[in-house]
Amino acid sequence: MSDEKYKILLVDDEVDILEFISYNLEKEGFKVYTAQNGAEAIKIAEKKLPHLIILDVMMPEMDGIAACEEMRKIPALQGSIIAFLTARGEDYSQIAGFEAGADDYITKPIRPKVLVSRVKALLKRTGSSSTAAAAPVENSNTVTIGDLVIDKERYLIKMSNEEMVLPRKEFELLSLLVSKPGKVFTREEIYYSVWGDNVVVGDRTIDVHIRKLREKIGNDHIKTLKGIGYKFVE
């Protein structure tokens, strides 16, 4: 897909930042939409279905964390990449963002060329390469293993007949582990398969996503091998 076909939603309550980022992305051929608070962003996202949503954390009416949580409940937005704008050193914002369902973060201030490179790297993940490992059964949209059913088309899982929509990266991480039950996936394998080798994420990113998955499917299915990685067991 060429850049001009990608849709990006920018959300920030500071007009100067919106204008600065919009200008640099539109100059590269991206279609850019803007919003100044989380509530407005949700309405635009549902209507425009952007490939990438860049959210500021602190905003009036509805902040970025709350907006991200609400967006991740909307099935039509499960394919959208969500990244937070955070100041350098704001580890708490990055962790809160991942827990809300974000895929990544962009630190500010940021130079225009670096910004464009980060955006292009994020958009590469909207293709099939980041989800290829999530298909243990080639020609099926669902995978059943024990009491867990994974719907790859709708980013849904079903446990004991209860359906849950997962944030994109939680879904991809679970799908990776389920693709080979019993296999120990190292942290490096997980980083590469779920986030890609051109994306830098924090040391606690995997741990946060594993904890969120365990909260939803229970502690019995995902086992930790200390210092090595994780595996899925039935």
Side-chain angles (χ1 to χ4, degrees):
M1 181 181 287
S2 58
D3 290 349
E4 62 267 17
K5 293 184 179 179
Y6 280 116
K7 295 177 289 185
I8 300 173
L9 172 60
L10 302 177
V11 191
D12 199 302
D13 61 327
E14 296 186 39
V15 176
D16 289 349
I17 292 177
L18 286 180
E19 291 178 350
F20 168 76
I21 297 178
S22 296
Y23 170 77
N24 284 283
L25 294 180
E26 287 173 344
K27 193 166 63 171
E28 294 293 320
F30 297 109
K31 177 64 178 176
V32 180
Y33 304 96
T34 62
Q36 290 184 266
N37 61 68
E40 182 186 5
I42 292 170
K43 293 178 182 178
I44 295 174
E46 285 188 284
K47 184 177 180 181
K48 301 299 183 181
L49 301 179
H51 298 91
L52 172 63
I53 301 167
I54 301 176
L55 283 167
D56 188 30
V57 177
M58 301 299 294
M59 293 182 292
E61 292 191 44
M62 179 184 285
D63 64 26
I65 302 295
C68 180
E69 289 175 340
E70 290 303 310
M71 288 176 182
R72 284 309 187 207
K73 296 175 184 177
I74 302 171
L77 296 176
Q78 291 308 304
S80 298
I81 295 287
I82 298 180
F84 276 100
L85 279 172
T86 64
R88 285 189 176 89
E90 283 189 355
D91 291 341
Y92 66 92
S93 293
Q94 295 164 9
I95 293 169
F98 285 128
E99 290 187 336
D103 298 290
D104 212 330
Y105 61 89
I106 298 172
T107 55
K108 59 181 182 180
I110 187 169
R111 295 190 303 275
K113 287 184 179 180
V114 177
L115 169 68
V116 171
S117 294
R118 292 285 288 121
V119 165
K120 287 182 176 180
L122 288 168
L123 287 169
K124 285 180 181 178
R125 290 150 62 180
T126 63
S128 60
S129 60
S130 64
T131 57
V137 181
E138 262 320 304
N139 296 313
S140 173
N141 287 326
T142 61
V143 177
T144 302
I145 179 165
D147 58 350
L148 175 67
V149 179
I150 299 176
D151 186 327
K152 297 180 293 178
E153 195 169 65
R154 297 190 293 159
Y155 282 77
L156 282 175
I157 65 168
K158 186 183 290 186
M159 288 281 294
S160 303
N161 293 319
E162 180 185 354
E163 287 191 348
M164 291 175 278
V165 177
L166 294 184
R168 182 187 179 99
K169 289 304 172 189
E170 285 180 33
F171 185 88
E172 292 177 4
L173 174 54
L174 178 61
S175 296
L176 174 66
L177 297 175
V178 168
S179 68
K180 294 182 179 178
K183 169 182 165 57
V184 178
F185 287 90
T186 66
R187 296 176 70 85
E188 290 74 18
E189 286 179 293
I190 294 171
Y191 275 130
Y192 180 80
S193 298
V194 177
W195 280 272
D197 61 353
N198 59 350
V199 177
V200 178
V201 294
D203 290 338
R204 293 187 59 189
T205 303
I206 292 178
D207 303 326
V208 168
H209 283 70
I210 290 289
R211 178 167 63 79
K212 298 296 285 186
L213 282 174
R214 284 172 171 158
E215 290 174 0
K216 292 166 184 172
I217 69 172
N219 295 321
D220 296 333
H221 289 298
I222 300 176
K223 300 298 182 184
T224 302
L225 278 81
K226 194 170 182 180
I228 302 174
Y230 298 92
K231 69 177 179 178
F232 184 90
V233 295
E234 294 187 49

